Amino acid sequence: MARTIILAIAVIACVASLLQNTAAETTHVVGGDLGWQIPPGGAIAYVTWASMQTFAVGDILLFNFTTGQQDVASVTKEAYENCNPASPISRKTTGPAEFSLEAAGDYYFICTLELHCTLGQKLAIHVTGPAPQPSPGPSLPRTPVNYTVGGNIGWAIPPGGALFYASWASFYSFFVCDTLVFNFANGTQDVAIVPKDVYETCNINSTIAVFTSSPVTITLKFPGEYYFTSTYLSHCSLGQRLAINVTGTSTPAPAAPPPLPPPPPPGNRTSPAPVPPPVQPPPSRQPPPPPPPASVAPCQVVGGFYITILSIIAVALISSSVE
């Protein structure tokens, strides 16, 4: 009997650990919408994608590609740098392909097909520490975020063409009250807010605003589409342009304070008449309290479901020992 109870407790602990680890892992779709292929802008596309991610032990890399047209191989750093597919650590030829990040450290991937790696189909990532555990309780309201356009490259003619800034923007969600920071060398660049047709044609015949002194900080005050470029000759056509979409608000608007009572008339030295207390509406007319957020219910249900499974396992094992 005692041995069966110990076995039941061990099973419960194993299942609970499995459920916890499964909930913590993250699947990273390599390249986002671009997938795994020869990138139009060269290797900078996957460098940019990786710089926007946080990789943790237990996460999964998902490579989306067409079977027969691409493959993916895990390789050493030397093979990655030299695009040498001769001795891969592992290789997968059927898409989509998954790689589990089972330990902290550097990981390198290439496509072994001829010239694919040389043309930029290669990926290097760094994995640090175990996956963070989800924090309990509701999340705090989102506060405005400052985004440095282009990351470490800043605002310049990008090495990979217009794909670079399109790829950078695709990894963020922009909200009203967020800010964009454009870093550039004064006298060599500028930042222009332009209409959509100017952004698409790079015909700088009209601008909404132009900023010439770095750094330029632009607050996103309204939802909608924003378009930016440089007015310097050929900079736009060479890829120095950015389009983003701003939705929603980052923080709820504060409630307006109640109006103050009017001051007493001048010359009136007598004590003001007492202000009667505000009339409270009948309890029956007060609106019902708002329902809890919809996101809370699934978490509670899922947790209860897991606990129910563990309880059934324990009861079944103990019952079988009694019989």
Side-chain angles (χ1 to χ4, degrees), residues 64-307:
N64 283 327
F65 60 88
T66 303
T67 302
Q69 297 182 8
Q70 321 286 341
D71 67 4
V72 58
S74 174
V75 297
T76 63
K77 180 179 181 181
E78 181 181 4
Y80 167 84
E81 293 175 343
N82 298 321
C83 285
N84 181 4
S87 302
I89 299 171
S90 63
R91 176 172 174 259
K92 297 185 179 182
T93 59
T94 302
E98 291 186 355
F99 284 85
S100 296
L101 307 177
E102 299 177 351
D106 296 323
Y107 289 73
Y108 303 93
F109 303 90
I110 65 172
C111 179
T112 67
L113 301 187
E114 186 177 6
L115 295 180
H116 281 221
C117 176
T118 305
L119 293 173
Q121 193 173 356
K122 54 197 291 191
L123 171 68
I125 66 170
H126 182 71
V127 179
T128 56
Q133 298 299 321
S135 58
S139 59
L140 296 176
R142 181 185 183 275
T143 57
V145 177
N146 293 332
Y147 295 100
T148 300
V149 175
N152 293 331
I153 289 181
W155 183 242
I157 296 176
L163 179 66
F164 174 80
Y165 288 113
S167 177
W168 176 85
S170 68
F171 298 117
Y172 296 108
S173 297
F174 301 97
F175 291 86
V176 170
C177 295
D178 288 349
T179 57
L180 298 181
V181 180
F182 293 80
N183 290 321
F184 56 88
N186 289 331
T188 64
Q189 319 285 343
D190 62 7
V191 181
I193 305 176
V194 297
K196 182 178 181 180
D197 61 325
V198 173
Y199 167 84
E200 292 177 340
T201 62
C202 286
N203 182 12
I204 316 297
N205 53 11
S206 65
T207 59
I208 299 172
V210 178
F211 306 91
T212 59
S213 181
S214 177
V216 173
T217 300
I218 298 176
T219 302
L220 308 174
K221 297 181 179 180
F222 306 101
E225 295 178 338
Y226 288 69
Y227 301 95
F228 306 90
T229 186
S230 172
T231 65
Y232 279 63
L233 182 64
S234 299
H235 281 217
C236 177
S237 58
L238 291 173
Q240 192 176 359
R241 52 181 175 162
L242 170 68
I244 65 170
N245 185 49
V246 179
T247 57
T249 57
S250 57
T251 54
L260 297 175
N268 186 1
R269 298 180 180 271
T270 60
S271 299
V275 179
V279 178
Q280 299 294 333
S284 59
R285 295 187 180 181
Q286 292 184 356
S295 59
V296 175
C299 296
Q300 295 176 342
V301 172
V302 171
F305 176 70
Y306 288 161
I307 294 173

